[in-house]
Amino acid sequence: MDEIRLSGEKTLVLASGRAHPELAEAIAKELGTELLPISAYDFANGEIYVRSSESVRGKDIFLLQSHPAPMNNWLMEQLIMVDSMKRASAKRITVVSPFYPYARQDKKGRGREPISARLVADLYKAAGADRIMSVDLHTAQIQGFFNGPVDHLFAVPLLADHIRGRVADDEVTVVSPDTGRVRVAEQWAERLGGAPLAFVHKTRDVTQPNKAVSKQVVGQVEGRTCVLIDDMIDTGGTISGAVQVLKDAGAKDVIIAATHAVFSDPAAERLANCGAREIVVTDTLPIPEDKRFETLTVLSIAPILARAIKEVFTDGSVTSLFDGHA
């Protein structure tokens, strides 16, 4: 296995779970290294076994795991991998979770609800993680749940630079799906040349998962190309409804941009038929062929993750990767 050594003292090792091997290989290629050989399998009852095939003693481990469905299996595998690396005397363990598990459960909306995003942070710490790296957390407050450094990476530069080439001659409005993501929308507007902002007013039944209704748009969208942004697309119902609201308000065209393509059924069907010109996502989660469609564009998040891993390993600045927005 290739390793990256720094001044004869530090050794970077990239390890990965089984959830998204394509992303792991892409990151390893960007870093110019190879993945740590790992033996991982399931017992007949679903119990997970993990063991590194090589020594990790004294090494700086970056442990990648994506979290598609079934999320709980992949989270458990990652926790077991962290524990195995800790018991194998790794010097430092950085959990790389591009799509942070349970990120939507980051606060109590009603009495007797859990804060599951905090629980996940506690589990990472208990397993032996020293640091967490993730992309576009559902809310920035999740960074405070982990008692240690958290590198919050952003896909905005990647997504916005792609879309800028698609809307170069258009009058553009950046549309947030709700008021909670206006700050992110401002970053988008800056990258798209100072485009105006709008947001879609929606209502949500807190007793029903994946149930939100887009009501109306606030802002100037008539005759304009709207870039509708979000951190994730799950079943696609909310964002497809938002496209219709924008079209009804006179939008000339709509492009959807989101970081995490969860794509629970029937998301692919909804998005393919929602009327958006293009749906742009990253590969923080694997997207199987049966959930890909003509208007879908998938951008690689590997270069951003690789650069951040290199900065952390060399004690550099992760913030500098995002023009000071991190």
Side-chain angles (χ1 to χ4, degrees):
M1 181 190 68
D2 289 343
E3 297 172 341
I4 299 176
R5 295 181 180 272
L6 182 66
S7 304
E9 298 175 357
K10 297 171 68 177
T11 304
L12 184 157
V13 174
L14 179 65
S16 175
R18 295 174 290 170
H20 197 350
E22 298 84 3
L23 178 59
E25 291 287 354
I27 294 171
K29 184 177 180 180
E30 290 283 340
L31 288 170
T33 186
E34 295 178 359
L35 293 169
L36 176 71
I38 288 179
S39 173
Y41 55 82
D42 299 337
F43 288 98
N45 68 345
E47 184 178 320
I48 299 169
Y49 173 87
V50 174
R51 178 181 180 271
S52 168
S53 301
E54 297 181 4
S55 173
V56 296
R57 183 180 298 275
K59 296 177 181 178
D60 204 339
I61 307 294
F62 290 83
L63 206 165
L64 172 74
Q65 180 73 303
S66 195
H67 295 94
M71 179 190 289
N72 294 336
N73 286 35
W74 303 126
L75 175 58
M76 193 67 201
E77 179 177 271
Q78 189 176 30
L79 292 169
I80 293 171
M81 291 178 73
V82 172
D83 183 74
S84 71
M85 299 298 172
K86 178 184 69 174
R87 296 180 188 279
S89 301
K91 183 178 181 180
R92 181 173 67 166
I93 302 170
T94 298
V95 162
V96 183
S97 294
F99 176 62
Y100 188 92
Y102 288 88
R104 282 176 285 193
Q105 299 183 44
D106 61 326
K107 59 183 177 297
K108 290 181 65 172
R110 297 184 298 158
R112 300 182 299 281
E113 284 187 339
I115 304 180
S116 304
R118 169 60 191 265
L119 174 61
V120 169
D122 289 343
L123 289 170
Y124 280 144
K125 193 67 176 179
D130 300 294
R131 190 181 192 107
I132 292 176
M133 182 179 293
S134 192
V135 182
D136 282 343
L137 293 168
H138 191 58
T139 56
Q141 72 189 40
I142 293 174
Q143 297 174 83
F145 293 168
F146 184 74
N147 187 21
V150 176
D151 298 300
H152 186 196
L153 312 183
F154 298 92
V156 174
L158 177 68
L159 293 164
D161 288 351
H162 170 83
I163 289 175
R164 188 164 52 206
R166 297 289 197 271
V167 299
D169 299 324
D170 298 352
E171 291 184 313
V172 177
T173 295
V174 176
V175 183
S176 173
D178 52 50
T179 56
R181 296 193 68 76
V182 170
R183 179 66 189 95
V184 178
E186 289 174 346
Q187 295 178 23
W188 269 91
E190 182 181 339
R191 290 214 167 240
L192 294 177
L197 301 180
F199 71 90
V200 176
H201 171 64
K202 66 183 180 182
T203 59
R204 183 180 297 277
D205 183 350
V206 296
T207 66
Q208 299 290 324
N210 301 112
K211 296 289 185 182
V213 179
S214 299
K215 295 285 190 179
Q216 62 183 9
V217 61
V218 178
Q220 181 58 45
V221 300
E222 186 173 358
R224 304 179 71 87
T225 296
C226 294
V227 179
L228 179 59
I229 64 166
D230 212 343
D231 63 319
M232 71 174 77
I233 302 175
D234 194 349
T235 62
T238 301
I239 205 149
S240 296
V243 172
Q244 188 58 55
V245 169
L246 291 170
K247 291 276 191 176
D248 292 344
K252 183 179 74 172
D253 224 340
V254 180
I255 297 175
I256 296 172
T259 304
H260 309 297
V262 180
F263 284 9
S264 303
D265 289 332
E269 180 182 353
R270 283 173 169 169
L271 292 169
N273 299 308
C274 71
R277 184 210 302 181
E278 185 178 13
I279 294 88
V280 187
V281 298
T282 76
D283 62 349
T284 56
L285 294 165
I287 306 173
E289 284 300 321
D290 63 351
K291 293 188 177 181
R292 294 180 182 242
F293 45 92
E294 187 177 355
T295 53
L296 178 69
T297 299
V298 182
L299 305 179
S300 175
I301 200 71
I304 290 176
L305 285 167
R307 288 173 61 196
I309 288 170
K310 198 67 175 287
E311 289 295 333
V312 169
F313 177 61
T314 58
D315 299 321
S317 171
V318 174
T319 302
S320 66
L321 302 180
F322 305 101
D323 301 327
H325 291 301

